[in-house]
Structure formats: C-alpha cells, structure tokens
Amino acid sequence: MVQLHVKRGDESQFLFDTTVLAPVESVIQQITAIYNGRLKVERICSEIPELADHGTPLPPNMQGLTEEQIVDLNLIDEWEEKCVPSGGPVLRRDEIGRRNGQAPNDKMKEVLMRTVEEAKALISKKQVQANVCVTMEMIKDALDPLRGAVMIVYPMGLPPHDPIRMEFEDREDLSGTQASLQVVTEEECQLWWAGKEMQRGKKLQDYIGKNEKTKLVVKIQRKGQGAPGREPVITEEQQKQMMMRQYRRQEELKKLDEGDDDSHMDSEWTDRQALRKQFQGLSNIKWGPR
C-alpha cells in the first residue's frame, strides 16, 4: 500500500493508505471526507464540555440577554423543560448568557467528558507519530460514541438549535466562523506533491510510479490559493538531531581544551632541579629585606 502523509500547510493531519492504481479524484474524495470528518469530531468535542458545564443552549433570540431583559421581552425557553438531563439538572449559570444553566450532574458530566477524550484520541494528529492510518471507519467510531453519550445524558434529545445536534444531523451552519475557513470541500480541494498538483483524471502511478511501498507527503489546498510551500530538505526531527550532535561535539571540544591546560607547569613538583637545591640548602630562599 502507498502511504500518504496528508498535510494542510505545514501542519500534519493524518496518514492515509491507498494504491498506485487509485484515481486522483478518488483519493481526493476520500482524503477530504476524512479531513472534514475529523473537523466535525473536533467541533463536537469542543461543544460538549460547554453542554456538560452549563446545559443546553438558549434559543438564538435569548442568547446574550440578561434575566431582566428576558423578563421584559416576555421570552421563554420552551426547550428547557423538554430537554432535561438524566438524574436531574444542576444549576450552573452561564456567565456569557449562551446556555440555560441547567447542567447535568457530576456522574453524567463524567460520561460526556470521558467519551470526548476517547474520541479525540482516536482522530488525534498523534496518530501520525504512531504510524496509524486514519479511515472513515475510525471517524464513525469517534462519532457514534459521542452521539450515544449525548443520548444517555439527554434521553429526550437536544434542542433543534443546539450546535451538537446540528452537527449530528449535518445541519451545521459554519458561515462567518473560523471553523468555516478550515473546511475544504471535495470540489475545491487540490492535492499537491513535490510542488506539483496531482490532476484529476490521472492515477497516482502517473506521478509516483508503480512501487506500492512508496511513502510520500501530500498537501491539500483550496483552488485559487496557489501552490503550498514545499517540504524542507530535512525534517524538524532531523534538524533537532543535528543540533544535538553539534552541541555534544562542542562540549567534547571544551573538555579537550581543559585537558590541554599547562598552568600546572608552574608548580614546585615540576621543577627538575628541586632535589639538588634541597641538598644544597638552596630551597625556600627568599630575596628582599627582612
């Protein structure tokens, strides 16, 4: 299998296995699905701690308002009584006024947070260092427990405007957010290797040959953004090792310089005439007035 180390810019994303016979458009489709799937998992994992701390979000027309403003405008959160966490809610007010403050109890919170950590580990960028290739099955294995944990804690479901529910139902609205800049759709995605764009309509073997044991770094880029920066001649890890070797070499040279110190030659025990002077009574003679 050909192993692709997928990057966006200079940042590692994941490893992906394919074959030299795979069409470039098929590789792009699979890579973008995994890339965007990882982003979805990360977005859900960033929202669940807020859910665990402060409960479900208020309706959009109530978010950011003070309690006095909500009363004055006669606004009601109709989902507060419907979406009650298992074991009853615990009051934890949201200082920014985004959530209703009806948080799950500590036991239910632990269920959510433990599942989040497991999901994040499954799609972590550290899988590159562990030489583990990420697949769509792994993305599904991360999403399903998250969905299950939310259902355990909120058996009646979440409000339709909850970003977690919207993510699970593929209704997320990322317009105007930083997250929207990270997403790369299949249609706008370009795949680059060695400073060249891999053109749709061709196969990987048209670029890398027929060796199925090839390992290479590819970069995904949006159309119109130009060619991404090329990979450095040496990796960051190799650069660190070179610096460490240089440092050890300098330390060894310092020790050698210290070993060449000849200041000891001024000591009495190095005087070859010391024994003869002692017999002649010429040792310890001091010149000068008494």
Side-chain angles (χ1 to χ4, degrees):
M1 299 292 286
V2 176
Q3 186 180 89
L4 305 182
H5 181 177
V6 180
K7 289 188 174 185
R8 177 107 192 257
D10 293 328
E11 188 175 358
S12 294
Q13 299 297 324
F14 54 90
L15 299 179
F16 175 73
D17 269 347
T18 184
T19 70
V20 295
L21 296 176
V24 171
E25 57 264 34
S26 175
V27 174
I28 290 176
Q29 186 272 327
Q30 294 177 72
I31 285 178
T32 52
I34 294 173
Y35 174 77
N36 292 323
R38 288 180 66 255
L39 292 178
K40 177 183 282 290
V41 174
E42 290 174 356
R43 291 194 299 269
I44 294 173
C45 288
S46 68
E47 286 290 342
I48 286 181
E50 294 293 321
L51 177 69
D53 286 337
H54 304 295
T56 58
L58 294 167
N61 64 334
M62 295 176 62
Q63 293 184 13
L65 300 180
T66 64
E67 293 184 3
E68 292 78 9
Q69 290 173 324
I70 292 175
V71 172
D72 292 343
L73 295 173
N74 196 28
L75 300 176
I76 299 175
D77 181 7
E78 59 179 308
W79 296 97
E80 182 175 332
E81 295 182 0
K82 299 178 182 179
C83 304
V84 179
S86 297
V90 177
L91 181 61
R92 296 196 192 98
R93 296 190 181 279
D94 184 5
E95 297 299 329
I96 62 176
R98 183 167 173 255
R99 295 179 175 270
N100 64 13
Q102 303 297 311
N105 60 37
D106 290 342
K107 184 178 179 181
M108 293 295 101
K109 180 178 179 179
E110 174 61 25
V111 171
L112 291 172
M113 298 308 296
R114 183 173 63 249
T115 308
V116 164
E117 293 303 316
E118 292 172 354
K120 289 167 68 175
L122 196 59
I123 55 96
S124 170
K125 293 176 182 177
K126 293 181 179 179
Q127 297 283 40
V128 173
Q129 301 171 2
N131 201 36
V132 175
C133 292
V134 179
T135 63
M136 279 306 298
E137 287 73 21
M138 293 174 67
I139 302 296
K140 185 176 183 297
D141 290 343
L143 287 172
D144 287 347
L146 290 171
R147 184 182 288 107
V150 171
M151 290 180 65
I152 290 173
V153 179
Y154 285 90
M156 300 305 293
L158 297 173
H161 55 271
D162 190 302
I164 298 173
R165 176 173 170 177
M166 294 173 72
E167 289 281 1
F168 285 141
E169 297 176 355
D170 294 325
R171 297 187 294 109
E172 66 271 20
D173 181 12
L174 304 178
S175 56
T177 66
Q178 184 67 28
S180 66
L181 302 178
Q182 298 176 309
V183 176
V184 180
T185 64
E186 179 184 344
E187 293 74 20
E188 65 182 357
C189 181
Q190 295 178 332
L191 195 64
W192 291 76
W193 171 67
K196 299 178 182 178
E197 181 188 353
M198 293 182 165
Q199 299 290 338
R200 299 170 189 260
K202 293 188 176 183
K203 296 182 178 181
L204 283 185
Q205 67 178 6
D206 296 329
Y207 294 94
I208 65 175
K210 298 182 179 181
N211 184 2
E212 287 286 358
K213 296 183 179 181
T214 304
K215 295 182 180 181
L216 58 151
V217 176
V218 297
K219 294 188 176 184
I220 56 176
Q221 187 89 329
R222 280 178 173 167
K223 288 181 180 178
Q225 292 185 338
R230 300 191 66 167
E231 285 293 292
V233 178
I234 59 174
T235 65
E236 183 178 353
E237 184 61 29
Q238 289 173 331
Q239 186 176 13
K240 289 180 180 178
Q241 292 177 0
M242 290 174 62
M243 293 176 66
M244 285 296 297
R245 286 196 294 269
Q246 181 66 20
Y247 174 76
R248 286 196 292 266
R249 177 61 178 164
Q250 290 177 350
E251 291 299 308
E252 291 173 357
L253 291 175
K254 285 181 182 179
K255 291 180 180 179
L256 290 175
D257 289 340
E258 292 173 358
D260 290 340
D261 184 9
D262 58 359
S263 60
H264 63 279
M265 297 301 293
D266 296 331
S267 303
E268 291 185 4
W269 58 269
T270 62
D271 186 359
R272 296 181 179 180
Q273 306 297 326
L275 183 60
R276 183 167 62 84
K277 290 179 181 179
Q278 187 174 0
F279 281 123
Q280 294 177 351
L282 299 176
S283 60
N284 294 326
I285 297 177
K286 296 181 181 180
W287 302 93
R290 295 188 176 221

